[in-house]
Amino acid sequence: MFGTALSQLRYGMAILRNRRIRPQDLERIARDLIATLAEFGEPGADSALLPGQAGAVDPAVRRTVTERSLRATAVAAARHTAHYRRTFDVLGLDPGTLTPETWDRVPVTPKEALRGLPAAFVSAASTPALMALTTGTSGTPTAVWFSRDEVEISVAMSTVSAVLGLGLRPRHTMAYAGCSRATLPLLNVEESVTRIGASFVQIGTVDPAVALDRLATPLGLPGKAPQITHLTVSASYLSALVEEAERNGWHASDFGLESIGVGGEVLSDPLRERAAAALGARITTAYMMTESIPSGGTPCTEGHLHHTTEFGHLEILDPVTHEPTPPGSVGVIVQTPYVPYRDCTLLLRYATGDLVGRPEKEPTCELAHLPATSPVLGRWSGPRSIAVPTRSVLNLLESEPDVPLPARYALAGGPGGDHAGADSPGGTVLHVLVRRLPAAALLGRLEERATAAGLALDGIVLHEDPATLPPTGPVRADLREHTFESPRPAAVRVASPA
């Protein structure tokens, strides 16, 4: 225990001084948490003080730490990256004098800049070890380089989060049903799960019928639950699993799932409810992206998304003017991941493109001490993406059994044409793929609910043939991975032991 206390002290001093974090200190903290589990069955009462557990901090202390962290991150970026060295030189700006009040003097970094030349954001003082690519469903994949230290820190943080957040224990088995090319998330999940003593199964984004078959198959492992207990998945692939389960005779009792963690895409309320009913598990979600790891967001019981202040600086800005978004309005998440959690790819005021709303009133929930937004509404692609956000469209469509999952839809210009409506909220028609036509009752329900939700639509058009739809955006479920497996016929499944 003395060694762990020393590791916690060294970690705390590194944060206060913005010095390099020793990965072995975080690994020691994570190992002690696992040892506590092995001896006592549950983490100790002091686990709320561990890294990443979002404890309340005195506002004056928080401001001091924020100022130091912003300065240290800006100084490192200006000294060691080509992009920010040029930026600060052109502006004549001294990064060592910045404060939270003057932070807006630093230009916002668009996602396109990182995509266009990722090496310009890599610190010359770091040793790049791993290139992580985003999936690219919202455009060209973004490359982010990580050092070995960053990877080890991320794994240690994930281990603590898996124990305290997911409640993962050695008897559990976690399945990862995300894209196998998602290098960093896959590495994080596999390493953190197995360090706890739990088991790990890589499924990937295979045929949903094959995935359900694997989830239902008895494991027969000593000391483990009979079936896979936890699943990590994107929202669109979860919807594909729900579609397969509902249409082909699967029941919640076929599975042993306790928890399904959903990330990477907008999770609608209807899909959450349908997934819980079809698969028999608690559905959880959180916010995190490759570029800003380990910064992220956690939902509260009142429906807010609360953002950590320990690992980075959050701003909600107008997507066009980059002015602060007032309460009650919608803006984009702009993140600055802090040094020393990040030392390879350094980003200042990085515009993620993720749209969120700011609460009109100050929250009073259990996480009220952390900055709060709405859950992610969608991706910024112009005024239409705010007037008709992805979350609202999915809430509309994914509650309807006559709309196949994943829901395929497109927002296109109305009678005035795309040129008239592409850059303005008006003139927007929602085109939706449905199972069969005619579907007058379905259309009536969709129109009534869209009006009640206040969606800025000029009309809804239903399609039975995907070829007649305007172009639709890709989703992560489209990253289908091939396998030589074939799903078992329903008759065989029924005869199999549960």
Side-chain angles (χ1 to χ4, degrees):
M1 294 299 293
F2 175 76
T4 301
L6 188 59
S7 293
Q8 289 176 321
L9 178 62
R10 280 196 295 252
Y11 168 75
M13 292 302 295
I15 300 308
L16 289 175
R17 297 180 179 181
N18 297 107
R19 302 287 176 84
R20 174 182 174 267
I21 298 171
R22 290 168 24 117
Q24 55 267 41
D25 288 332
L26 280 174
E27 290 172 1
R28 179 64 181 265
I29 293 169
R31 283 200 308 271
D32 181 65
L33 178 60
I34 294 167
T36 301
L37 280 181
E39 185 171 355
F40 300 106
E42 291 299 328
D46 60 348
S47 59
L49 302 176
L50 293 177
Q53 295 313 296
V57 177
D58 180 87
V61 173
R62 176 184 290 176
R63 192 203 177 284
T64 299
V65 172
T66 297
E67 182 171 300
R68 289 180 179 177
S69 298
L70 288 175
R71 285 181 178 176
T73 304
V75 167
R79 285 180 180 173
H80 302 305
T81 71
H83 179 89
Y84 293 113
R85 183 184 307 114
R86 182 170 58 251
T87 298
F88 278 85
D89 284 348
V90 168
L91 294 173
L93 189 60
D94 180 359
T97 63
L98 291 168
T99 67
E101 292 73 27
T102 62
W103 186 241
D104 60 359
R105 296 177 64 189
V106 179
V108 169
T109 301
K111 187 181 285 280
E112 293 75 20
L114 178 61
R115 284 176 175 166
L117 194 59
F121 295 86
V122 174
S123 170
S126 71
T127 304
L130 174 72
M131 185 181 76
L133 284 171
T134 62
T135 57
T137 51
S138 60
T140 304
T142 304
V144 185
W145 279 96
F146 292 86
S147 68
R148 181 68 192 179
D149 279 1
E150 286 175 312
V151 172
E152 291 174 353
I153 288 170
S154 181
V155 168
M157 293 283 192
S158 295
T159 303
V160 173
S161 178
V163 171
L164 300 180
L166 294 179
L168 209 63
R169 301 294 183 265
R171 72 176 186 86
H172 292 137
T173 297
M174 168 75 79
Y176 182 84
C179 176
S180 297
R181 297 189 298 277
T183 311
L184 190 61
L186 179 56
L187 186 152
N188 265 341
V189 174
E190 184 275 329
E191 280 291 317
S192 60
V193 166
T194 54
R195 289 184 185 192
I196 292 166
S199 300
F200 175 80
V201 175
Q202 165 63 2
I203 292 180
T205 51
V206 297
D207 183 326
V210 172
L212 290 180
D213 207 11
R214 290 191 192 177
L215 292 172
T217 299
L219 296 173
L221 298 175
K224 302 296 180 184
Q227 294 166 291
I228 290 170
T229 56
H230 289 65
L231 176 65
T232 296
V233 67
S234 68
S236 61
Y237 190 69
L238 176 63
S239 72
L241 296 180
V242 170
E243 173 83 0
E244 177 67 26
E246 291 179 344
R247 304 283 292 179
N248 290 290
W250 291 95
H251 302 93
S253 59
D254 294 325
F255 310 104
L257 288 168
E258 298 176 14
S259 177
I260 299 176
V262 185
E265 294 171 312
V266 172
L267 174 66
S268 73
D269 295 334
L271 179 58
R272 180 195 293 267
E273 294 170 4
R274 290 172 68 175
L279 303 176
R282 176 174 57 99
I283 312 297
T284 65
T285 186
Y287 175 76
M288 188 166 285
M289 65 187 308
T290 301
E291 298 97 312
S292 60
I293 285 175
S295 292
T298 303
C300 73
T301 54
E302 294 185 5
H304 307 118
L305 183 65
H306 292 268
H307 302 261
T308 57
T309 57
E310 183 177 354
F311 308 128
H313 185 63
L314 171 79
E315 299 172 84
I316 310 299
L317 304 181
D318 182 279
V320 176
T321 67
H322 296 156
E323 292 296 317
T325 299
S329 298
V330 173
V332 293
I333 293 176
V334 175
Q335 286 273 16
T336 300
Y338 288 152
V339 168
Y341 296 100
R342 297 294 292 272
D343 62 38
C344 194
T345 295
L346 303 181
L347 297 169
L348 307 179
R349 305 193 82 201
Y350 179 72
T352 66
D354 291 329
L355 290 168
V356 292
R358 286 198 59 200
E360 292 186 9
K361 299 179 180 178
E362 288 296 321
T364 57
C365 55
E366 73 276 15
L367 296 177
H369 57 281
L370 294 176
T373 66
S374 72
V376 174
L377 303 175
R379 303 277 305 175
W380 165 254
S381 59
R384 184 182 286 161
S385 58
I386 293 180
V388 191
T390 299
R391 178 172 294 277
S392 296
V393 175
L394 293 178
N395 279 338
L396 176 70
L397 301 181
E398 291 184 332
S399 63
E400 294 288 349
D402 290 331
V403 175
L405 300 177
R408 303 291 181 175
Y409 70 91
L411 295 169
D418 252 338
H419 295 293
D423 295 323
S424 63
T428 300
V429 173
L430 174 63
H431 296 259
V432 184
L433 182 67
V434 299
R435 297 193 192 279
R436 64 189 67 83
L437 291 176
L442 171 62
L443 179 59
R445 290 195 303 272
L446 291 176
E447 289 176 339
E448 181 179 353
R449 292 175 50 229
T451 300
L455 294 182
L457 294 174
D458 281 4
I460 300 176
V461 178
L462 306 184
H463 299 256
E464 187 176 19
D465 182 358
T468 66
L469 270 175
T472 61
V475 295
R476 295 194 180 195
D478 295 330
L479 294 167
R480 192 59 56 85
E481 299 172 13
H482 297 288
T483 175
F484 295 116
E485 294 177 75
S486 298
R488 292 177 295 168
V492 175
R493 297 202 309 262
V494 170
S496 298

